[in-house]
Amino acid sequence: MVQKEVVYVVSDSVGETAELVVKAVATQFNGGQVEIRRNSYVEDIEDIEDVIILARKDHSIIAYTIVIPELKDYLDKRAMEEGIMAVDLLNPLMNAFATRFNKQPHRQPGLMRKLDEEYFRKIEAIEFAVKYDDGRDPRGIMKADIVLIGVSRTSKTPLSMYLAHKRFKVANVPLVPEVPPPDELFKIPRKNCIGLIISPDKLNEIRTERLKALGLGSKANYASFQRILDELDYAEKIMKRVGCPIINVSNKAIEETAGLILDVLKKERSL
């Protein structure tokens, strides 16, 4: 049985990046028959000394991703003293970035994992917004960071998605006179809910265009002025009952309204 060569992967974070690089290189040599021994979260010279002793014993390579200057310098110094080949996988490229872009790196371990976690939180929020869109499952109201309520065509869905990209879990509930609002709406803290209103003229314009896009007549009850007034009056009564802040979305871009929502919630939750 052929004994595998050993490569020590050393990192002041998880060490996944270094391990992936070592595996990629190893595949170019005899099908990647190397043993990778990962040493994660090294935070002092004693941790590095432990690896130096092992690497010297196994006559192996150290591949590392260390961004803390003191630890990197110590590992380089000790590896040279012991005749161990130590390969820095980050700093050459980091130095190139610093030179080319005239900026200095943060030199904080774990930043990439932090970015990954932010990404997955955003994906989770987007999936939440899709699942609890348009009041399809009232259970989402109790789980949401933000609940948007309003009549049809007050931008509830696009606002939910926009806020989801900022990692907020958003549920939205349409207010329709013929459909009682879910009980959950009256059980959440008022600071978690935002009511969206719009001027009757603007809503009439939006709904008329919507009907045209669907190939329907503009005189349908959906776009009639009286129907709109009835819906807005009903929605206002529900919003007052909930006791939530109210934002007028007339002639506002999604980004502008979202900014107002976050400002209002920040103010409400700081009280």
Side-chain angles (χ1 to χ4, degrees), residues 93-105:
L93 186 56
M94 199 159 7
N95 291 336
F97 269 54
T99 301
R100 177 63 183 83
F101 303 130
N102 196 29
K103 294 182 179 179
Q104 291 304 309

Side-chain angles (χ1 to χ4, degrees), residues 255-271:
E255 297 84 354
E256 183 182 1
T257 303
L260 289 172
I261 289 171
L262 295 179
D263 288 343
V264 168
L265 290 178
K266 183 177 180 181
K267 181 180 177 181
E268 287 286 322
R269 294 174 183 181
S270 65
L271 295 177

Side-chain angles (χ1 to χ4, degrees), residues 29-52:
F29 298 87
N30 299 322
Q33 295 300 308
V34 299
E35 180 181 346
I36 298 173
R37 298 178 184 173
R38 192 198 294 186
N39 296 264
S40 304
Y41 300 111
V42 298
E43 53 186 24
D44 51 43
I45 60 175
E46 286 78 11
D47 293 334
I48 291 176
E49 275 297 331
D50 291 341
V51 177
I52 291 291

Side-chain angles (χ1 to χ4, degrees), residues 108-169:
Q108 296 175 16
L111 287 183
M112 193 167 85
R113 175 163 288 271
K114 182 179 179 181
L115 288 173
D116 287 344
E117 289 171 356
E118 293 287 311
Y119 171 78
F120 286 116
R121 276 201 293 270
K122 180 169 74 172
I123 295 301
E124 184 181 5
I126 292 171
E127 291 175 345
F128 186 95
V130 171
K131 183 175 181 179
Y132 298 112
D133 181 44
D134 207 33
R136 65 182 61 174
D137 186 344
R139 291 175 298 179
I141 294 172
M142 306 299 293
K143 303 174 184 177
D145 299 318
I146 303 171
V147 178
L148 303 178
I149 60 175
V151 301
S152 174
R153 313 314 292 177
T154 47
S155 302
K156 296 185 299 299
T157 296
L159 280 168
S160 296
M161 295 306 298
Y162 184 89
L163 291 166
H165 277 82
K166 293 185 176 295
R167 298 175 295 283
F168 290 97
K169 293 181 179 178

Side-chain angles (χ1 to χ4, degrees), residues 64-67 72 88-96 105 107:
Y64 69 88
T65 52
I66 295 179
V67 297
K72 168 192 159 41
D88 183 343
L89 300 177
L90 284 185
N91 276 276
L93 186 56
M94 199 159 7
N95 291 336
R107 295 198 177 278

Side-chain angles (χ1 to χ4, degrees), residues 181 183 186 235-244:
D183 292 337
F186 306 103
E236 185 177 352
K237 289 177 181 177
I238 296 299
M239 291 173 193
K240 286 181 178 179
R241 184 180 164 193
V242 173
C244 63

Side-chain angles (χ1 to χ4, degrees), residues 191-204:
K191 63 185 179 181
N192 287 4
C193 187
I194 292 286
L196 304 176
I197 62 171
I198 189 171
S199 71
D201 290 333
K202 186 62 179 178
L203 186 55
N204 173 259

